[in-house]
Amino acid sequence: MQKDKFYDAEEFEISLKAYLSYVSRKMRKDDNYYPHTLVRALVNAIEGANKNGKPGRYIGVSGEGEKYTDYEPQQLIACVVEMHRDKTITILEIEDVSLQKSIPIKVASYILLLSIRFDKYEGNVLRVEDYINVVNNTIPQLNIIRFDNNVWKEARDYLAENIDTLHFPTEMGDDYEKDFLSIKESTQWENYPSRVRSSIATVWVQDKHPELFSEGSVNLVSVFLADEYPKAGLLNNLLVTLYGPPAEFFNDILKWNFFTDLNMIENNSKASTKIGRNSKCPCGSGKKYKKCCGSKRN
């Protein structure tokens, strides 16, 4: 059955500010502490707003270029926030600059909530079992299922036997077929292309263990080659899942009573952040934007 779990905004009235303050302090004290890039970008934006103390828009950027070699993708996230006259802050936009995609605000709010819950576990790594439990209990419409690597050969052979009955989306392209053809009988499971592993695992669990699937949820069969992973990496994979191909679906079905101490604009496209010069200023002064915060910004 579909999980029916919604959060009372009062539960997090101070949690997000307290958590971001905790992240800020811990980053200064512990060089080995690595919160997710989105969290760091938001901390940078809010710190800039609080340091300046004036109404206006502020941007925080964070990336992980120093952790990657030249041939690997680098993540860069930018957060745009606005501080109002009463010192409240609204998140206007969160952008994955490396992919040139806006991150849906509901998805961002869940990543923030998961960051809070992950940090309750000591260290920068998290056991897969704990990761799955936390995510499945936090995001109502997502059901992550771990594939049993001990049966990978049986699952591989089962897919081979039934390959003609399966339908693979055309957008997967010729490269996907090449991935399959690159596999030899001697190829070890850890050396399989990741999307081939995912297909083998998904078909096996769907047909052999349908009881693991949750009706009304997005069921995601995942292959984990290790028993623990860095928290930031787990969050990043989940983030890409939520605003990747299934993004529109998740954005429609996820229900969220936003943190009460940090406002979020529901439509966070670039167009939504533009304010006409003759429009009422969003800071609440009652003046036209061009004669209030707009003049300061210019």
Side-chain angles (χ1 to χ4, degrees):
M1 294 180 61
Q2 179 175 333
K3 290 172 283 185
D4 186 17
K5 188 179 184 69
F6 306 112
Y7 296 97
D8 184 352
E10 285 187 53
E11 181 181 352
F12 305 106
E13 185 171 359
I14 62 171
S15 292
L16 187 55
K17 279 188 176 179
Y19 173 66
L20 294 177
S21 176
Y22 157 81
V23 169
S24 179
R25 293 195 306 273
K26 191 163 184 177
M27 282 196 302
R28 288 195 295 268
K29 294 180 180 179
D30 186 355
D31 292 337
N32 295 317
Y33 176 60
Y34 297 110
H36 188 266
T37 313
L38 188 154
V39 177
R40 296 202 308 271
L42 183 56
V43 167
N44 291 339
I46 293 176
E47 280 188 341
N50 288 333
K51 184 176 181 179
N52 186 280
K54 297 179 180 179
R57 295 187 179 187
Y58 299 85
I59 184 169
V61 179
S62 183
E64 296 182 328
E66 72 280 0
K67 295 185 182 180
Y68 296 95
T69 56
D70 291 341
Y71 55 86
E72 292 179 314
Q74 299 181 9
Q75 185 183 51
L76 182 65
I77 289 182
C79 292
V80 181
V81 303
E82 181 152 14
M83 174 178 276
H84 305 288
R85 289 184 180 276
D86 61 0
K87 303 301 182 183
T88 59
I89 290 177
T90 298
I91 297 178
L92 298 178
E93 184 177 2
I94 302 178
E95 179 90 5
D96 188 326
V97 181
S98 49
L99 294 180
Q100 296 184 343
K101 292 187 66 172
S102 288
I103 299 175
I105 209 68
K106 291 178 184 177
V107 171
S109 63
Y110 273 109
I111 293 298
L112 290 168
L113 178 55
L114 286 168
S115 296
I116 292 173
R117 296 188 170 182
F118 282 7
D119 266 6
K120 292 180 180 179
Y121 295 86
E122 187 176 353
N124 286 316
V125 298
L126 190 65
R127 292 192 310 154
V128 170
E129 180 182 353
D130 293 328
Y131 164 74
I132 292 175
N133 287 336
V134 171
V135 173
N136 286 350
N137 287 319
T138 299
I139 303 181
Q141 288 83 6
L142 182 61
N143 179 39
I144 298 178
I145 304 166
R146 185 178 189 180
F147 175 71
D148 181 1
N149 292 317
N150 292 319
V151 297
W152 74 268
K153 289 185 178 180
E154 293 95 323
R156 174 200 62 189
D157 295 342
Y158 181 78
L159 179 68
E161 293 168 4
N162 295 274
I163 193 73
D164 293 336
T165 66
L166 303 177
H167 168 71
F168 295 104
T170 55
E171 61 267 19
M172 287 185 173
D174 295 337
D175 288 340
Y176 193 66
E177 183 178 355
K178 290 178 182 178
D179 283 345
F180 269 102
L181 295 175
S182 69
I183 298 171
K184 300 177 182 178
E185 182 141 1
S186 60
T187 304
Q188 293 300 301
W189 184 234
E190 61 270 18
N191 295 325
Y192 276 47
S194 60
R195 55 184 176 179
V196 173
R197 280 199 304 261
S198 179
S199 295
I200 292 172
T202 299
V203 170
W204 176 264
V205 174
Q206 278 180 333
D207 290 0
K208 299 296 184 180
H209 299 284
E211 73 280 2
L212 297 177
F213 280 64
S214 177
E215 184 179 354
S217 297
V218 175
N219 295 283
L220 185 64
V221 179
S222 300
V223 177
F224 297 94
L225 298 177
D227 290 326
E228 61 181 24
Y229 290 90
K231 294 175 183 176
L234 290 169
L235 276 174
N236 195 49
N237 289 337
L238 181 61
L239 177 62
V240 173
T241 297
L242 293 179
Y243 74 79
E248 292 302 321
F249 176 70
F250 277 107
N251 203 33
D252 288 340
I253 66 173
L254 290 180
K255 297 184 179 181
W256 179 258
N257 295 322
F258 301 136
F259 297 103
T260 56
D261 62 345
L262 202 63
N263 303 316
M264 298 188 185
I265 289 181
E266 183 68 19
N267 177 8
N268 67 336
S269 66
K270 291 184 177 180
S272 68
T273 66
K274 295 180 180 178
I275 303 174
R277 285 176 52 76
N278 291 315
S279 300
K280 185 179 291 187
C281 188
C283 73
S285 66
K287 299 178 181 179
K288 289 184 179 181
Y289 180 65
K290 66 181 180 182
K291 294 185 177 180
C292 190
C293 295
S295 62
K296 299 174 183 177
R297 187 179 182 189
N298 292 333

